[in-house]
Amino acid sequence: MDDRKSRAEKIFNEMLETIKEKQLDLDQAIAEYTGGHVKPAMDVSEDNDKIVVKTDLPGVNRDDIKIDLSEESLEIQAKFQKETEEDFEEKGVTYHRRERHHGTSSRVVVLPSKVKISEVTAKFDNGVLTVTMPKLDKRQTYEVKLE
């Protein structure tokens, strides 16, 4: 029975990963269609002790980043500054394409494990925000006996 359970869990995890990948593609397609903003790219990794989230925020100032955290989820908001007309209409300069966006973008991720909020660290270097979150406790499973 454990073999069937582990196979089912593997299939379920593969399905979830495929859905997550398709969600990113869908988010980008919707943003292109509506003229909206693409959500910042994000990597979420985990080992036995911690969860690490890396988010690309090129061109964002440190003061324009907001991080909201609970034991189960992380939200990152970033404000991309708008260039003024004078910034891009310099003498003799013609822009043929303007794709860099401005405004606020955010990402929310449900964490794979609960984390120790008081021990979370964040650093912002070369346009990459790295949030390191120690896990609260190792997951424990219990077998429930049927009566």
Side-chain angles (χ1 to χ4, degrees):
M1 181 133 146
D2 286 332
D3 187 42
R4 279 198 293 171
K5 182 180 176 184
S6 65
R7 283 190 318 183
E9 285 177 352
K10 181 180 177 186
I11 291 169
F12 181 73
N13 288 337
E14 288 173 355
M15 286 175 28
L16 282 178
E17 190 61 35
T18 300
I19 290 169
K20 288 177 187 176
E21 290 172 4
K22 297 300 179 191
Q23 180 65 45
L24 181 58
D25 293 342
L26 179 61
D27 288 345
Q28 290 174 340
I30 289 171
E32 289 173 11
Y33 179 75
T34 63
H37 304 300
V38 176
K39 293 180 180 181
M42 178 182 282
D43 292 338
V44 180
S45 62
E46 173 184 20
D47 64 20
N48 288 333
D49 303 318
K50 66 188 175 300
I51 300 168
V52 177
V53 175
K54 291 185 177 184
T55 307
D56 290 343
L57 300 172
V60 174
N61 294 319
R62 177 183 305 271
D63 295 336
D64 292 332
I65 299 171
K66 180 181 178 190
I67 303 169
D68 289 321
L69 177 68
S70 73
E71 289 178 348
E72 293 109 4
S73 68
L74 171 71
E75 179 178 9
I76 297 172
Q77 294 180 348
K79 183 177 181 182
F80 293 82
Q81 297 295 330
K82 181 178 182 177
E83 294 178 316
T84 64
E85 295 295 317
E86 294 82 30
D87 290 336
F88 63 87
E89 287 184 356
E90 300 171 25
K91 280 187 176 176
V93 175
T94 302
Y95 281 85
H96 297 280
R97 184 175 293 205
R98 297 218 47 203
E99 294 180 348
R100 295 175 26 213
H101 67 275
H102 63 276
T104 302
S105 291
S106 67
R107 288 292 304 265
V108 177
V109 61
V110 176
L111 301 173
S113 299
K114 290 186 177 184
V115 296
K116 298 177 185 177
I117 294 175
S118 61
E119 297 179 22
V120 171
T121 59
K123 77 174 188 174
F124 187 58
D125 188 35
N126 289 325
V128 178
L129 174 66
T130 303
V131 181
T132 304
M133 300 164 281
K135 290 183 183 179
L136 190 59
D137 287 311
K138 293 182 180 174
R139 283 190 183 174
Q140 295 180 354
T141 58
Y142 300 95
E143 182 177 349
V144 177
K145 300 287 184 187
L146 292 175
E147 296 179 16

